[in-house]
Amino acid sequence: MIGRLKGIILEKQAPDLLIDVNGVGYELQAPISTLAVLGRTGSEAVLYTHLAIREDAHQLYGFSDKAQRTLFRTLIKVSGVGPKLALAILSGMDANAFALCVHNEDVTALTKLPGVGKKTAERLIVEMRDRLTEWQAPAPLWAAVDQAEKASLDAVLREAEAALIALGYKPQDAAKMLNKVSSQADTPEELIRLALKNTLGQ
């Protein structure tokens, strides 16, 4: 089992990462919250990982801290929630906000997450309520965003839009979300964060 990686960021395009660890390139997927606190391409990164093994593929997921990985592992134990949906949940809502929604039984807020309908939201609340009592919430995950090199606004918007579509939003909805915040940030990760925050009302 691969539990932790320390290496150089070779590629970073949400939700995908390529990390060079002593000459070996590891492909990972990570939530937007993790990508937001990583450095730029060429910098060192430390990620706590989870390896999902299926008959047709092995997929590695990366997280900025152990608490986030623990929440991911707890989420995928919920009936009907696989790694893809768990990643979308952690991308669309930070861990502390998610825990608050569960404790407050806030179905409306949870259904704003891509891929989460009313039944799934209700199931998350029922099955996660007791499990979250043993989970220690991490510090806010949107702090200390490392600014990447300035890129053209069009390229930044395209990358941010592709990431939102990968999370389950329709292309036209992703475009509308980004148009509202396009003048407020210079990096794809920050644009995505602002777009999600604006949409979810956090």
Side-chain angles (χ1 to χ4, degrees):
M1 180 66 72
I2 302 172
R4 179 178 179 273
L5 290 178
K6 180 179 181 181
I8 304 300
I9 301 172
L10 296 181
E11 296 178 10
K12 178 185 175 186
Q13 185 169 0
D16 299 313
L17 276 171
L18 180 62
I19 306 293
D20 181 350
V21 181
N22 297 323
V24 178
Y26 288 86
E27 293 182 340
L28 307 93
Q29 289 191 343
I32 302 302
S33 49
T34 286
L35 294 174
V37 297
L38 293 180
R40 65 188 68 183
T41 301
S43 62
E44 187 176 74
V46 177
L47 294 164
Y48 293 92
T49 61
H50 173 82
L51 179 61
I53 300 176
R54 304 197 312 265
E55 291 184 3
D56 58 340
H58 290 190
Q59 177 63 56
L60 197 60
Y61 297 90
F63 306 93
S64 57
D65 55 55
K66 288 182 178 180
Q68 194 178 37
R69 181 182 64 180
T70 298
L71 183 54
F72 175 84
R73 287 174 169 174
T74 305
L75 280 167
I76 61 177
K77 293 178 181 178
V78 175
S79 176
V81 178
K84 183 177 180 180
L85 181 54
L87 201 70
I89 290 171
L90 289 174
S91 293
M93 181 179 289
D94 72 49
N96 291 319
F98 175 79
L100 187 62
C101 284
V102 170
H103 289 307
N104 290 340
E105 300 185 8
D106 192 343
V107 173
T108 301
L110 291 175
T111 54
K112 291 181 180 180
L113 293 166
V116 178
K118 184 178 180 181
K119 289 185 178 180
T120 301
E122 292 172 345
R123 190 182 307 120
L124 282 168
I125 290 171
V126 171
E127 296 192 30
M128 291 292 292
R129 187 187 296 116
D130 293 337
R131 294 171 182 173
L132 283 177
T133 59
E134 300 177 359
W135 176 77
Q136 297 297 316
L141 296 170
W142 297 114
V145 176
D146 192 298
Q147 294 292 332
E149 285 185 5
K150 299 295 181 181
S152 71
L153 180 58
D154 284 345
V156 170
L157 285 172
R158 283 197 301 270
E159 184 174 339
E161 184 175 345
L164 289 173
I165 292 171
L167 291 174
Y169 288 100
K170 295 179 180 179
Q172 60 268 32
D173 293 334
K176 290 179 181 178
M177 291 165 64
L178 291 170
N179 283 338
K180 294 179 180 179
V181 298
S182 61
S183 63
Q184 301 176 34
D186 298 314
T187 66
E189 292 83 4
E190 184 69 6
L191 275 176
I192 295 164
R193 182 187 75 82
L194 291 172
L196 291 170
K197 182 178 180 181
N198 185 62
T199 300
L200 299 174
Q202 295 178 39

